[in-house]
Amino acid sequence: MPTTVNEVAEKTEMLELDPKSGVALKPTTTTTKDDINVTAPQLTEKLTEVDETINKTAPKEDKTDQKEEEPAAAVKDDDIPVQVEPKTGISFPVKLGDGKQLTAVGLRKKSMLGIGIKIYGFGIYAENEKLKDILRTKFEKAPTKATKEMYQVVIDSDVGMMVRLVIVYSSLTMSMVRKSFDEGLGASIKKLTGGKNEQLTKMIMGEASDDVKLTPGSVIEISRLPGYTLQTKVKGEIVSTVESELLCRAYIYMYLGEDPFDKEAKEKFGASMLSLF
């Protein structure tokens, strides 16, 4: 005759379980037939209740230490100090990732039908350490104010500089930008050399398509790189890289020359130069 559930229960010792670990403790009393008189389904139900109790009371695994180390948060634009161009409200970071520092902000305006139209706000960046070395070499002591000679040293030098243009005028097109630079650079080249060089002036916008949409907030960056190289980026894409000392000088001259786009911006750049002494 097969062993009944009651017979098994008679031989089973009642185990006391540690509620935290679920490990059996030292047996206490022996269960007798009179103590347990259950059917197989009832015993199964009792064992299930015990399992659930263990699961609820057993300490859960601490996964805190198992979390993968999160990478350091990238520096956001919001974390970088900015300077605001007052006439447009455009913000320019005071320092770029390559180390160039903001030296002046300004506004490019153009007269249309007798009305001064805001075209773009701009920020002028420079490698201040190299600029400081050149200025201190040329001038033994700091002048009381920025002089024409000081500006000319910057214009003629090979110090890394960049002018960031942020579009303001909502109806601006690439063909209008191209025409504006052709005129501005043409005038600068004429003042520097006494002649014209139309072929050179047209290189600054290079392969930039007239189909490129320049909405307000669009960015154009024109940089003077080592070796008298002028590089133009339109909305983050390089459209031209031209190696020409004359073109580099003419471009910086538009902002720091005798008839700059924004006289206040030129004066701010002058104050920045004096601070290097």
Side-chain angles (χ1 to χ4, degrees):
M1 180 177 177
T3 306
T4 66
V5 173
N6 288 344
E7 291 172 341
V8 173
E10 287 182 283
K11 300 176 182 181
T12 303
E13 294 183 333
M14 178 63 73
L15 299 179
E16 182 180 355
L17 302 178
D18 186 318
K20 292 185 178 180
S21 64
V23 178
L25 302 176
K26 183 179 179 180
T28 52
T29 59
T30 303
T31 305
T32 65
K33 184 176 180 179
D34 293 334
D35 294 323
I36 297 180
N37 186 18
V38 295
T39 62
Q42 289 174 325
L43 179 59
T44 301
E45 183 179 349
K46 293 289 184 181
L47 292 175
T48 300
E49 291 177 358
V50 172
D51 289 340
E52 290 177 352
T53 301
I54 293 173
N55 291 334
K56 289 180 180 179
T57 58
K60 294 183 178 180
E61 184 180 2
D62 186 1
K63 298 182 179 180
T64 304
D65 296 335
Q66 297 180 3
K67 286 185 178 180
E68 295 183 2
E69 184 177 353
E70 297 181 358
V75 177
K76 299 180 180 179
D77 290 341
D78 294 341
D79 299 330
I80 302 174
V82 298
Q83 183 176 338
V84 177
E85 197 291 306
K87 300 184 184 72
T88 61
I90 296 172
S91 299
F92 293 89
V94 299
K95 190 174 183 178
L96 301 179
D98 61 3
K100 291 186 182 70
Q101 293 179 299
L102 184 65
T103 55
V105 295
L107 170 66
R108 169 68 164 130
K109 295 176 68 176
K110 193 169 180 63
S111 179
M112 295 183 182
L113 301 176
I115 302 174
I117 304 297
K118 297 177 182 179
I119 305 300
Y120 58 79
F122 63 84
I124 304 175
Y125 293 84
E127 294 180 340
N128 278 358
E129 288 302 316
K130 292 183 179 180
L131 185 58
K132 178 173 66 176
D133 292 340
I134 290 178
L135 290 173
R136 288 184 172 182
T137 300
K138 298 288 184 180
F139 304 93
E140 294 182 1
K141 60 181 180 179
T144 55
K145 66 176 183 177
T147 63
K148 179 180 178 180
E149 290 74 24
M150 289 179 67
Y151 288 113
Q152 197 62 47
V153 166
V154 178
I155 292 169
D156 295 340
S157 75
D158 193 22
V159 172
M161 294 182 67
M162 188 267 277
V163 182
R164 174 176 291 181
L165 322 177
V166 182
I167 305 303
V168 175
Y169 184 51
S170 60
S171 300
L172 192 67
T173 63
M174 182 55 69
S175 60
M176 292 170 66
V177 172
R178 198 186 303 275
K179 182 180 179 180
S180 176
F181 277 118
D182 288 350
E183 294 174 352
L185 285 170
S188 292
I189 289 174
K190 187 175 181 179
K191 287 188 176 182
L192 290 171
T193 66
K196 296 182 179 180
N197 193 326
E198 294 182 0
Q199 183 179 0
L200 188 61
T201 60
K202 294 182 183 299
M203 289 182 177
I204 192 168
M205 281 295 124
E207 300 176 357
S209 171
D210 289 341
D211 295 331
V212 175
K213 295 181 179 180
L214 294 174
T215 56
S218 297
V219 176
I220 297 175
E221 295 179 336
I222 303 180
S223 303
R224 180 172 68 183
L225 306 176
Y228 290 103
T229 299
L230 199 67
Q231 183 183 83
T232 302
K233 289 183 180 180
V234 177
K235 301 174 73 172
E237 180 180 351
I238 298 175
V239 297
S240 75
T241 302
V242 183
E243 186 176 339
S244 168
E245 180 179 347
L246 178 56
L247 185 60
C248 287
R249 291 173 61 215
Y251 181 70
I252 302 301
Y253 188 89
M254 291 194 301
Y255 296 92
L256 303 181
E258 293 180 4
D259 188 20
F261 285 159
D262 188 325
K263 291 183 179 180
E264 290 183 9
K266 177 183 174 179
E267 291 173 358
K268 291 174 185 175
F269 186 91
S272 176
M273 284 194 294
L274 293 175
S275 70
L276 298 177
F277 287 89

